[in-house]
Amino acid sequence: MRVLGIESSCDESAAAVVEDGRLLLSQAVASQADLHARFGGIVPEVASRQHLLEFLPVLQKTIEGAGGWGAIDAVAVTRGPGLAGSLLVGFNLAKALAFARRLPFVGIHHLEGHLYANWIQGGQWDGEARKPPPFPSVALIVSGGHTDLVYVEGHGRYRLLGRTRDDAAGEAFDKAARLLGLGFPGGPPVERAAREARQPVTFPRPTLRDGSDDFSFSGLKTAVLRAVEERKGTTALTAEQVTDLAAGFQRVVVDTLTEKLVKVVRDTGAQAALLSGGVAANGALRQEVIRRSPVPVWCPRPALCTDNGVMIATCAYFRLQAGLRHGWDLDVQPNLPLVS
Ligand code: KG4
Ligand code: ZN
């Protein structure tokens, strides 16, 4: 079965065709990152208007790459969570395509899509041919809007073990980058800067006193702000200060995420640790998780960690196999929970 997946929850207009939830046939992504960079963050109305301009070329490239419309058996699209105006563009496009081509239609949870990037054949960070991940496993889904630790019992069967109480990990990267003058989105430039550091700044580790497996990153953001103010005075930060601050920040985020992930893997007896979402593109996080995990680690290559249509098509295959079909009355849900 060949599924067309469409993703428009944030600032990437993306589409892909995947066969049997494993084999990537074609894909295209138009990123709006440069457009939003000058605002220092995503401007929702700008994002939805840009989706309107980008989607048809993205779709055309994807369908041509897969061998034409005759090859498509179903249409899937991100239903939420995400920005309402952005979601609506991809969602209505997908609905109209499924309607016109008389194909099955399914709405997919964006975070569940991120998780399924680990199912793509040859899609792992090291390019190794691997089997699909085993069950049960624990997934760390780290994106711009979410930081969730999820127990994955089987396809579509999840239990939420922990989540952020304030900023998401990606949001923390974006905010730290802004404080350090590193641009938007913040993850990639913070990672690059951290590699150049000589003496990473020591920041306090966030601790939640209730012993839960939740996260909190807002205190770290404040600590970075104070450290920047202390060093800055009336002049700009030096390049060396920026790299040392970036490395200190990244170290705390990586340590905190890794420690909790490893703890819940042990607590639950899971057979694998799965990384996914934009922050999983971070090499320092991936290396630390691989170093400390007691079980094998799956992590998609960076382009499959950030938003894409491949993960939506892949996830949809397993939902379709389980009999899921949505009707024309389905709407987007900007706050759609993963586990209700
Ligand atoms: O999953 P994603 O593409 O979109 C959402 O669903 O939010 O994640 C975007 C987030 C941004 O906050 C971005 O700064 C972060 O992922 N990110 C990274 C890296 N690449 C992207 N964070 C850390 N290191 C990276 N290399
Ligand atoms: Zn995402």
Side-chain angles (χ1 to χ4, degrees), residues 12-333:
E12 258 95 30
S13 316
V17 178
V18 177
E19 186 171 300
D20 295 341
R22 285 281 277 162
L23 190 64
L24 172 55
L25 298 182
S26 71
Q27 72 152 328
V29 181
S31 172
Q32 306 176 7
D34 293 346
L35 183 66
H36 297 283
R38 72 180 103 132
F39 304 109
I42 291 158
V43 184
E45 188 180 331
V46 172
S48 31
R49 286 173 184 272
Q50 193 64 18
H51 280 307
L52 275 180
L53 302 179
E54 303 276 14
F55 250 115
L56 292 185
V58 162
L59 185 68
Q60 189 171 19
K61 196 172 158 209
T62 305
I63 297 297
E64 279 172 7
W69 275 107
I72 312 299
D73 301 309
V75 181
V77 63
T78 305
R79 178 188 172 196
L83 300 168
S86 285
L87 286 166
L88 283 168
V89 179
F91 196 80
N92 208 34
L93 174 64
K95 236 191 204 186
L97 290 171
F99 180 77
R101 306 282 321 168
R102 298 174 196 217
L103 293 171
F105 168 72
V106 279
I108 295 296
H109 193 289
H110 180 75
L111 297 182
E112 201 177 356
H114 272 304
L115 171 65
Y116 273 87
N118 282 304
W119 266 255
I120 317 285
Q121 198 171 304
Q124 288 290 297
W125 65 279
D126 52 6
E128 288 287 307
R130 294 190 203 191
K131 291 186 179 150
F135 298 122
S137 45
V138 168
L140 174 66
I141 309 176
V142 269
S143 70
H146 294 82
T147 302
D148 288 351
L149 269 173
V150 180
Y151 183 67
V152 186
E153 286 180 59
H155 288 297
R157 286 170 33 222
Y158 311 114
R159 193 150 47 86
L160 191 63
L161 302 173
R163 57 185 306 184
T164 182
R165 301 230 176 129
D166 39 58
D167 294 348
E171 194 180 353
F173 269 96
D174 295 337
K175 288 177 175 171
R178 188 185 303 188
L179 292 170
L180 298 174
L182 288 173
F184 177 86
V190 167
E191 182 177 9
R192 278 194 296 275
R195 268 190 233 124
E196 307 297 318
R198 297 222 188 116
Q199 275 190 299
V201 173
T202 305
F203 287 114
R205 295 266 302 271
T207 45
L208 289 173
R209 286 177 215 290
D210 59 7
S212 79
D213 294 319
D214 285 347
F215 301 96
S216 167
F217 291 112
S218 70
L220 175 61
K221 172 187 64 191
T222 311
V224 174
L225 172 65
R226 287 217 191 90
V228 168
E229 281 170 351
E230 273 166 24
R231 283 163 183 75
K232 215 168 167 180
T234 53
T235 56
L237 292 171
T238 64
E240 208 172 310
Q241 284 172 328
V242 169
T243 55
D244 288 348
L245 287 161
F249 161 82
Q250 181 175 277
R251 183 173 286 178
V252 173
V253 176
V254 165
D255 270 3
T256 310
L257 292 173
T258 307
E259 192 175 293
K260 285 264 160 76
L261 173 59
V262 167
K263 174 184 175 288
V264 298
V265 163
R266 290 214 160 93
D267 288 353
T268 59
Q271 291 183 34
L274 315 181
L275 295 178
S276 56
V279 181
N282 187 286
L285 174 63
R286 186 178 60 234
Q287 280 159 20
E288 189 65 0
V289 170
I290 290 171
R291 192 175 74 76
R292 286 166 60 180
S293 173
V295 292
V297 176
W298 269 254
C299 180
R301 59 181 138 89
L304 292 175
C305 286
T306 50
D307 291 349
N308 63 82
V310 187
M311 64 190 203
I312 301 304
T314 299
C315 178
Y317 169 76
F318 292 98
R319 293 295 89 78
L320 286 157
Q321 288 294 97
L324 182 70
R325 303 284 187 278
H326 282 131
W328 305 133
D329 58 344
L330 192 74
D331 197 358
V332 300
Q333 209 174 318

